[in-house]
Amino acid sequence: MVRFLVLALLSLAGVTQTSASPTQASEPPNPTEEQPPLGTGSLSFPWSHLRLPGYIVPLHYHLLLHPNLTMLSYSGTVRIELQVQNNTNWVVLHSKGLRITTATMLDQNLAHLSDKVLPVLHNPTHEQTAIFSPRVLSGGQKYFLFLEFGAELGEGFYGFYRSTYRTSSGETRNLASTHFEPTSARMAFPCFDEPSFKANYSVSIRRSRAHIALSNMPVEQTVVLDDGLMEDRFAVSVRMSSYLVAFIVCDFRSVSATTVSVYAAPEKWQHTHYALKAAVKLLEFYEKYFNIKYPLPKQDLVAIPDFQAGAMENWGLITFRETSLLYDPATSSGSDRVWVTMVIAHELAHQWFGNLVTMQWWNDIWLNEGFARYMEYISVNATYPKLRVEDYLVDTCFAAIGRDSLNSSRPISSAAESPTQIEEMFDTVSYNKGACVLHMLRHYLTDQVFQSGIVRYLRRYSYSNAHNQDLWDSLANHLDLTSMMNTWTLQTGVPLVTVTRQGSHLLLKQERFLRTAHPSDPAWFLWHIPLTYRTDTSTSIHRHLMTTLTDSVDVGEEVGWVKVNVDMAGYYLVHYDGSGWDDLIQLLKDNHTALTFMDRTHLIHNAFQLTTAGRLSLDKALDLIGYLRSESHTVPLLEGLGYLEAFYRIVERRDIPDVTQNLRTYILWYFRDVIDRQTWSDKGSVSERRLRSELLSLACHLGDLPCLKQAQRSFTHWLDSNSTLNLPADVAETVYSVGAQEDTGWASLLQTYTHSLSETHKHKILSALASSRDTNKLTRLLELGLEGEVIRTQDLDSLIAMVARNPRGHHLAWSYVQKYWSTLVDKFQLGSFSIRNIIIGTTAQFSSTEELTEVRLLIFPWQYHLLSEAKFLTEVAMDNIQKNILWLQRNLGTLRSWLDQQID
């Protein structure tokens, strides 16, 4: 409603509104040689496009900021050196929510062009500001724009915003930090806030003696001012995009080694050591892998108490959510360690991919995020092999396929113009699909060719911007990769390859894989698929590039079985027609180790995805995982178990008692041995610890008596210690969840949550609190989340999803979202991943047409009918619900019959 009204008011005020130009516009408004000073009343805003004009380019920002952490506001000045390419009277740049009090134009000798106050016009809808110069700015000349401005420190998570932390004595302390990506630098200072406008930055920050100031570059000079304040003047930055600028004023402590420092609130300082060690190790790896030295003189990593994302790659000053940087061996699980290492690896990869070479525009954000996501696996596998991060790559690709097999998916490279559309690009497609397509390309090209192509790309476009095509040209060298890779980046969806055995040949057919097909869907899709396959007659991996809708390969008459997409290196699903699935089911029963653990995992995933799409009967997929009692590897075991748990949660939520009870009985009976082998400790490899954590959590959720008794014993010990006992981190959440079902346990956990200084520990407690079967307690939690004091606003989206996952809480969570929808959109912004998490988290298990209608009415009311972002949210949520409805229609009867046979 508010956004619709803003559009109407601006049109009444005479601000020009037109549709966005898909390319950067470069024609200036007609200049005038000399005009008398005009009041803004007789001037209309000179620019109508969402993107800035290209005829003025920023070269160097001189930025001075003075944040007041008591008044929670700041003032600042910026002097921007400009290169003017065409004659104009106007400078148009970005500004959002800033009070610009003075605007002055200077020539290249710093002489004033006018002795009058320059008019400043605003177009809030496009987040732009225009400054009118009475004297024409001549093409080919340099000028300086000087602006004085001020603003309140933000209350959210964007721009220059306020964060707080509490000391162990209960004192609340303020700090100021930034988060600019993708389009929020304009909330902190007036700037040309688009990735192609790279410039140098000279930053100065005023602060009290009690605080420190940090920015992208090291402090070059600190001056004591007459009023006793300190002014830190930072070294000039390298050329970079505005979204990478960062500054922080805080009282944090740090640990340092070589050029790396890790900062945190003083009482959390002792949890920074693991991050420091990991960052130093990973930075050294990247310098060798990319064959380019890290370009800056220092690299800071800072844990920010209030932070919406996981982390942000600001050049030289990376900011993190505390759970993504701080590691406490006493309260952090094996999975927590993997997470911290992977996030650090991701952000450090960005120092090259994204910072040194930046995408030209946000439609290609995958060049940043897909690469950084994939480099996590390459770098951590090399530096921390015991973490076995390759085990997690399948989850990354399965998540991408989950999104990509819905109608609402999009191409990796997609048009995005408005800030909300740009925000939406930071999704599973850019990150996960981008990474998996790169994984496929690396296997296709070989490791060496891939690596040398990356180095070529980084060297060629250093301190500059690049497109998709630039990457293909760099990687290919003398190959033509463009036609192949365009089918993966410019086309929506994931391919399904159907394999039919006919004598000595495999007949191949490709099509788009959809779990929710609609008659209106275009049927014709074509990918260039680098197929791989393995047979029982050879250990070799056979390769074939499939570039047509149908194809065939000769495998020989004597072959018994064929497994296509070896180790899931390719981003496609495989369906085995005829007796193909039966052959593989028999193989797994007879000798499952004939296939690698990755191939076994891939078969399980593909089979259950095909059942969702109605392409394979559910009993066939369930027969496939009938071998799992013999499975010793965590990844395929958890993949199969994960589907059974998902089915259980759907039927539990739909209150289908016979299937719910039989499925619970079957899971606990079938996996009895592996459940009983788990110890309630933190011992073992990361893989073993992950299995223990997930398996015991499920067993207790299913009401397994031995599990419940052990968890209750551990919880009683914890209560008796007055909450000071450190439970084994891998099972702590399960123990807390069992204890949270009693009034005294829930109250003790909430008290511990309130006073704990460890965000990682608090996350485990919050999950347990949200598992209560008492709806009054769940309501209380949601109220605390909205208040934002005990439960930070940054954790509200997770909390809502946790409550929705609880069978007693799903209606409650959805009602809460309906009631506070406008408030949630105000807190997190409509295109943000937090809003996506809330919608998908609360609707993920919806499976009725009535719920489908409710979701449509919530997100897509009439007042939003012009906003594409509302449409996007609606489509994703509705696709998921439609998928669940279809799954029940197609598979519930089969599941009931299959379970009856197993139980009998």
Side-chain angles (χ1 to χ4, degrees):
M1 184 66 178
V2 173
R3 291 165 185 257
F4 185 71
L5 287 174
V6 168
L7 284 167
L9 289 170
L10 281 171
S11 62
L12 288 172
V15 177
T16 309
Q17 298 294 325
T18 69
S19 59
S21 169
T23 56
Q24 183 161 307
S26 59
E27 286 302 311
N30 291 329
T32 57
E33 279 307 317
E34 187 75 44
Q35 294 184 355
L38 296 173
T40 54
S42 60
L43 292 172
S44 62
F45 201 85
W47 193 248
S48 60
H49 302 287
L50 267 170
R51 295 202 207 177
L52 295 178
Y55 56 81
I56 294 184
V57 178
L59 302 175
H60 197 141
Y61 292 78
H62 294 265
L63 180 64
L64 170 64
L65 294 162
H66 178 199
N68 186 320
L69 296 184
T70 305
M71 302 300 292
L72 303 179
S73 61
Y74 68 98
S75 58
T77 62
V78 64
R79 191 178 79 222
I80 311 173
E81 183 181 357
L82 304 172
Q83 177 72 54
V84 176
Q85 295 175 350
N86 294 324
N87 292 358
T88 182
N89 292 91
W90 291 95
V91 178
V92 182
L93 70 168
H94 287 111
S95 169
K96 182 181 179 183
L98 302 174
R99 298 183 299 273
I100 297 177
T101 53
T102 304
T104 309
M105 287 300 304
L106 311 168
D107 65 19
Q108 55 191 0
N109 298 316
L110 299 182
H112 285 249
L113 292 188
S114 172
D115 56 359
K116 307 294 184 184
V117 175
L118 299 186
V120 179
L121 276 66
H122 300 283
N123 181 345
T125 307
H126 289 180
E127 301 175 358
Q128 292 171 358
T129 291
I131 291 89
F132 178 78
S133 170
R135 192 195 301 180
V136 70
L137 307 178
S138 303
Q141 298 297 310
K142 291 180 181 177
Y143 297 88
F144 291 90
L145 172 64
F146 179 82
L147 301 170
E148 294 183 17
F149 60 95
E152 308 304 312
L153 288 172
E155 285 296 316
F157 305 97
Y158 295 91
F160 195 19
Y161 69 94
R162 171 207 183 198
S163 179
T164 63
Y165 72 92
R166 196 186 68 254
T167 66
S168 55
S169 63
E171 178 192 357
T172 297
R173 295 184 182 176
N174 292 327
L175 60 135
S177 184
T178 57
H179 185 96
F180 293 161
E181 191 180 32
T183 60
S184 294
R186 65 193 69 173
M187 295 173 68
F189 62 100
C191 58
F192 294 76
D193 199 12
E194 293 176 7
S196 61
F197 287 119
K198 290 195 169 186
N200 301 103
Y201 290 81
S202 297
V203 177
S204 298
I205 298 178
R206 291 180 180 169
R207 58 172 176 86
S208 71
R209 291 178 183 272
H211 294 102
I212 60 169
L214 301 169
S215 189
N216 305 83
M217 301 297 286
V219 174
E220 206 168 51
Q221 182 185 18
T222 298
V223 177
V224 181
L225 304 177
D226 293 342
D227 55 6
L229 290 174
M230 316 292 285
E231 184 174 299
D232 291 323
R233 297 170 183 171
F234 296 88
V236 180
S237 78
V238 295
R239 287 186 76 243
M240 62 184 185
S241 304
S242 55
Y243 77 87
L244 294 170
V245 177
F247 30 87
I248 301 169
V249 176
C250 62
D251 64 349
F252 286 1
R253 290 184 63 190
S254 67
V255 293
S256 301
T258 64
T259 59
V260 180
S261 299
V262 183
Y263 289 81
E267 290 179 83
K268 300 178 183 183
W269 168 81
Q270 68 270 28
H271 300 151
T272 58
H273 297 281
Y274 177 76
L276 178 66
K277 182 181 174 185
V280 169
K281 209 170 184 180
L282 286 159
L283 205 60
E284 288 173 354
F285 168 83
Y286 283 134
E287 286 188 327
K288 289 177 183 172
Y289 189 88
F290 297 138
N291 198 21
I292 298 173
K293 292 289 287 181
Y294 172 66
L296 302 191
K298 61 95 175 174
Q299 178 66 77
D300 297 338
L301 295 79
V302 188
I304 305 296
D306 297 282
F307 200 82
Q308 188 179 10
M312 175 59 211
E313 67 266 19
N314 317 299
W315 215 348
L317 183 62
I318 306 174
T319 46
F320 294 78
R321 189 181 279 227
E322 288 185 344
T323 51
S324 301
L325 185 67
L326 305 183
Y327 178 76
D328 177 10
T331 60
S332 299
S333 66
S335 295
D336 293 331
R337 185 182 171 209
V338 171
W339 172 250
V340 168
T341 313
M342 295 288 270
V343 175
I344 293 171
H346 182 101
E347 303 309 326
L348 289 176
H350 271 311
Q351 307 306 297
W352 286 265
F353 275 101
N355 298 9
L356 184 63
V357 179
T358 311
M359 73 276 138
Q360 181 71 24
W361 183 251
W362 299 106
N363 62 305
D364 280 335
I365 185 58
W366 84 276
L367 289 173
N368 286 19
E369 300 301 348
F371 255 110
R373 174 58 50 88
Y374 188 45
M375 289 308 301
E376 295 172 27
Y377 295 99
I378 293 177
S379 63
V380 177
N381 189 48
T383 52
Y384 288 93
K386 288 184 179 178
L387 292 185
R388 293 192 58 83
V389 292
E390 66 271 19
D391 291 3
Y392 295 83
L393 180 59
V394 292
D395 295 329
T396 295
C397 297
F398 293 164
I401 289 169
R403 173 81 174 85
D404 223 11
S405 57
L406 299 176
N407 272 294
S408 54
S409 190
R410 62 170 184 84
I412 287 179
S413 184
S414 301
E417 293 296 323
S418 73
T420 303
Q421 290 168 348
I422 291 166
E423 186 82 47
E424 288 171 351
M425 295 292 287
F426 291 78
D427 66 354
T428 307
V429 174
S430 289
Y431 285 74
N432 293 18
K433 182 178 179 179
C436 297
V437 167
L438 289 169
H439 180 61
M440 177 173 65
L441 182 58
R442 180 179 173 219
H443 277 261
Y444 176 68
L445 294 175
T446 72
D447 293 357
Q448 187 177 353
V449 172
F450 181 79
Q451 183 179 351
S452 60
I454 284 175
V455 172
R456 197 157 39 242
Y457 170 77
L458 290 172
R459 288 186 181 280
R460 193 174 289 171
Y461 298 101
S462 287
Y463 304 104
S464 187
N465 299 80
H467 300 272
N468 260 347
Q469 186 62 50
D470 301 322
L471 177 63
W472 309 145
D473 292 344
S474 300
L475 282 169
N477 210 8
H478 299 298
L479 289 171
D480 174 23
L481 276 182
T482 305
S483 54
M484 172 183 169
M485 295 312 298
N486 280 352
T487 70
W488 297 98
T489 59
L490 304 182
Q491 185 171 240
T492 303
V494 58
L496 170 67
V497 175
T498 299
V499 179
T500 306
R501 186 78 178 275
Q502 193 175 86
S504 64
H505 284 82
L506 290 184
L507 304 184
L508 309 169
K509 183 182 78 170
Q510 64 160 293
E511 62 191 292
R512 183 182 175 191
F513 176 69
L514 280 170
R515 292 182 294 168
T516 52
H518 296 298
S520 60
D521 287 337
W524 196 86
F525 285 84
L526 178 67
W527 287 266
H528 291 190
I529 305 172
L531 286 174
T532 55
Y533 62 93
R534 181 185 282 148
T535 72
D536 59 337
T537 59
S538 168
T539 56
S540 301
I541 297 174
H542 304 277
R543 302 175 189 278
H544 175 74
L545 185 63
M546 184 180 184
T547 59
T548 53
L549 289 174
T550 59
D551 206 344
S552 69
V553 292
D554 191 345
V555 294
E557 294 281 358
E558 68 280 5
V559 167
W561 55 261
V562 179
K563 166 65 177 65
V564 179
N565 199 357
V566 177
D567 288 337
M568 207 195 148
Y571 184 72
Y572 57 95
L573 294 97
V574 183
H575 177 39
Y576 299 90
D577 218 352
S579 65
W581 280 110
D582 292 328
D583 294 342
L584 291 165
I585 289 168
Q586 194 60 48
L587 173 65
L588 291 176
K589 283 180 180 173
D590 295 344
N591 180 21
H592 68 276
T593 55
L595 298 175
T596 65
F597 83 88
M598 292 283 273
D599 274 339
R600 302 195 297 269
T601 308
H602 181 233
L603 285 175
I604 294 168
H605 169 267
N606 280 202
F608 282 106
Q609 291 297 308
L610 288 164
T611 65
T612 305
R615 303 292 290 263
L616 185 69
S617 64
L618 180 62
D619 51 0
K620 204 72 111 178
L622 290 167
D623 288 345
L624 182 80
I625 61 171
Y627 88 96
L628 281 180
R629 269 191 179 152
S630 308
E631 182 59 78
S632 59
H633 200 287
T634 297
V635 177
L637 191 58
L638 287 178
E639 184 66 18
L641 196 57
Y643 281 105
L644 293 177
E645 180 181 359
F647 301 160
Y648 178 82
R649 289 188 180 276
I650 287 177
V651 295
E652 179 186 39
R653 188 190 173 281
R654 283 298 297 269
D655 194 20
I656 307 170
D658 63 318
V659 181
T660 304
Q661 180 55 46
N662 284 346
L663 187 51
R664 176 194 292 127
T665 302
Y666 173 76
I667 293 171
L668 292 176
W669 165 75
Y670 188 82
F671 293 98
R672 182 78 267 156
D673 289 347
V674 69
I675 292 170
D676 289 345
R677 284 200 300 270
Q678 304 310 308
T679 60
W680 293 70
S681 69
D682 284 341
K683 293 178 181 175
S685 66
V686 169
S687 182
E688 290 165 339
R689 294 177 67 181
R690 179 189 177 197
L691 178 64
R692 171 189 306 133
S693 182
E694 296 192 28
L695 203 56
L696 292 177
S697 173
L698 176 60
C700 280
H701 177 73
L702 295 176
D704 181 50
L705 283 177
C707 184
L708 291 172
K709 285 179 180 176
Q710 180 57 55
Q712 191 58 60
R713 274 197 299 272
S714 298
F715 189 74
T716 302
H717 291 324
W718 180 78
L719 280 179
D720 291 344
S721 74
N722 198 23
S723 311
T724 58
L725 177 71
N726 278 328
L727 293 167
D730 293 335
V731 296
E733 189 174 320
T734 297
V735 171
Y736 291 149
S737 296
V738 172
Q741 304 313 315
E742 302 294 332
D743 290 349
T744 53
W746 198 89
S748 296
L749 284 165
L750 182 59
Q751 185 179 23
T752 302
Y753 180 91
T754 304
H755 295 101
S756 174
L757 294 179
S758 167
E759 290 298 318
T760 301
H761 188 216
K762 287 171 74 170
H763 183 81
K764 294 177 174 62
I765 295 173
L766 188 62
S767 178
L769 291 168
S771 73
S772 171
R773 289 185 288 269
D774 184 338
T775 54
N776 290 326
K777 290 184 173 65
L778 299 179
T779 300
R780 174 71 181 130
L781 271 186
L782 292 169
E783 288 170 351
L784 289 171
L786 203 63
E787 290 166 11
E789 294 296 327
V790 174
I791 299 172
R792 290 182 184 270
T793 301
Q794 68 177 13
D795 298 317
L796 180 55
D797 61 330
S798 296
L799 170 62
I800 293 169
M802 288 171 182
V803 173
R805 189 173 166 81
N806 182 340
R808 299 287 180 89
H810 60 263
H811 285 307
L812 193 66
W814 177 241
S815 298
Y816 174 88
V817 171
Q818 289 175 301
K819 183 177 179 180
Y820 295 108
W821 176 242
S822 295
T823 305
L824 294 170
V825 170
D826 287 342
K827 282 181 181 291
F828 294 116
Q829 300 187 5
L830 194 56
S832 69
F833 67 85
S834 291
I835 288 292
R836 295 200 295 271
N837 289 347
I838 288 169
I839 289 299
I840 292 168
T842 50
T843 63
Q845 292 175 33
F846 282 7
S847 54
S848 71
T849 52
E850 294 80 13
E851 289 166 329
L852 199 62
T853 302
E854 282 186 27
V855 174
R856 185 187 289 112
L857 290 173
L858 172 73
I859 311 172
F860 210 29
W862 69 268
Q863 59 263 49
Y864 283 129
H865 75 281
L866 293 177
L867 297 179
S868 63
E869 48 266 31
K871 184 171 180 284
F872 166 81
L873 266 177
T874 308
E875 287 176 348
V876 173
M878 286 172 35
D879 257 0
N880 271 309
I881 300 166
Q882 190 69 44
K883 174 202 69 180
N884 292 341
I885 293 170
L886 286 170
W887 189 90
L888 283 166
Q889 289 172 355
R890 289 165 174 164
N891 298 306
L892 181 59
T894 308
L895 179 60
R896 179 179 274 120
S897 302
W898 188 87
L899 286 170
D900 286 342
Q901 292 172 11
Q902 305 303 313
I903 301 300
D904 291 345

